[in-house]
Amino acid sequence: DTGVSQDPRHKITKRGQNVTFRCDPISEHNRLYWYRQTLGQGPEFLTYFQNEAQLEKSRLLSDRFSAERPKGSFSTLEIQRTEQGDSAMYLCASSLGPLVTQYFGPGTRLTVL
Amino acid sequence: QKEVEQDPGPLSVPEGAIVSLNCTYSNSAFQYFMWYRQYSRKGPELLMYTYSSGNKEDGRFTAQVDKSSKYISLFIRDSQPSDSATYLCAIIYKLVFGAGTILRVKS
């Protein structure tokens, strides 16, 4: 399967714990995006990378959130000191460049108890 | 005002109906418009994309953009129960999605 993959698919954690999600984009795609989606809402942009450079961060991305793409391939999204409001589906997408189709992974569903 | 507005529905139609899904947007600088379909507990999958104004057809799906009124539409002909999903319009300029419209096609 050459699509975007995400791991884990589901994560349940207690408030205050740290969690880390991984995204593996389509191999030749140089752009990688993170979105957050809550029930009844469309995906909301969090941040994106062009190769290993993080080019834009949404104001939704508080100081507790950090994303990396160290070698321009896979990316990780870490949430520190999780809060119940962080419960959502975290989606990763990749594209070949700007203004072109973004392909989404299946998402990681986070539940913070 | 949100940059992209979309009626969340749900929209319930009988099998075989023509479905019209719509979004409005606020910034005339937007040029690329996409429709994604999202099944429950899955990531969005691209259905169609258009650039600027006009129509684009792909099988039973037609995407339409009216830049003068900042209005985009997705038409589904001969709707099937398998079309039941949430349909998201997306504006690719600042990576902004609508809230999604839930469509239910009854057999």
Side-chain angles (χ1 to χ4, degrees):
Chain A
D1 188 348
T2 57
V4 179
S5 62
Q6 292 186 246
D7 183 69
R9 295 291 306 277
H10 305 274
K11 179 70 177 178
I12 300 174
T13 191
K14 292 182 180 179
R15 189 176 54 184
Q17 298 294 304
N18 299 345
V19 294
T20 300
F21 310 141
R22 176 179 170 126
C23 171
D24 286 89
I26 294 172
S27 59
E28 63 268 26
H29 286 185
N30 54 10
R31 288 212 168 191
L32 186 148
Y33 310 82
W34 284 99
Y35 293 84
R36 181 173 68 188
Q37 185 176 27
T38 53
L39 195 63
Q41 299 297 316
E44 294 175 293
F45 170 74
L46 291 178
T47 187
Y48 85 91
F49 294 83
Q50 169 89 17
N51 298 313
E52 65 274 10
Q54 189 173 17
L55 296 187
E56 186 171 346
K57 293 194 290 186
S58 162
R59 57 182 169 77
L60 294 175
L61 213 66
S62 76
D63 291 345
R64 297 184 297 105
F65 288 71
S66 63
E68 293 182 344
R69 193 182 184 198
K71 297 181 180 178
S73 56
F74 73 91
S75 175
T76 57
L77 178 68
E78 181 183 14
I79 309 174
Q80 297 181 324
R81 305 181 302 282
T82 53
E83 301 172 357
Q84 287 185 325
D86 297 331
S87 296
M89 173 81 92
Y90 290 84
L91 292 160
C92 175
S94 70
S95 69
L96 265 175
L99 303 179
V100 294
T101 303
Q102 296 180 28
Y103 294 89
F104 282 82
T108 294
R109 181 169 296 279
L110 172 67
T111 302
V112 181
L113 302 175
Chain B
Q1 181 189 8
K2 286 188 174 181
E3 289 181 287
V4 182
E5 299 273 6
Q6 185 175 11
D7 186 340
L11 180 63
S12 187
V13 301
E15 183 176 356
I18 296 174
V19 177
S20 173
L21 305 169
N22 308 294
C23 288
T24 58
Y25 61 95
S26 59
N27 190 331
S28 57
F30 295 147
Q31 299 214 51
Y32 291 84
F33 308 92
M34 300 190 176
W35 283 96
Y36 282 82
R37 178 174 61 194
Q38 187 174 26
Y39 291 110
S40 182
R41 301 185 180 278
K42 303 285 188 183
E45 58 176 331
L46 180 71
L47 268 180
M48 301 183 69
Y49 72 92
T50 57
Y51 172 71
S52 194
S53 283
N55 291 1
K56 185 174 182 178
E57 190 173 319
D58 183 2
R60 295 185 295 112
F61 298 88
T62 300
Q64 189 176 80
V65 176
D66 183 347
K67 292 198 77 179
S68 62
S69 57
K70 298 179 196 162
Y71 199 82
I72 61 175
S73 302
L74 179 71
F75 299 97
I76 307 174
R77 291 184 298 280
D78 187 25
S79 56
Q80 303 294 310
S82 59
D83 296 328
S84 298
T86 297
Y87 290 79
L88 299 153
C89 62
I91 312 297
I92 302 299
Y93 173 68
K94 287 182 63 180
L95 309 171
V96 180
F97 282 85
T101 298
I102 299 170
L103 171 66
R104 296 180 183 143
V105 179
K106 302 174 293 186
S107 59

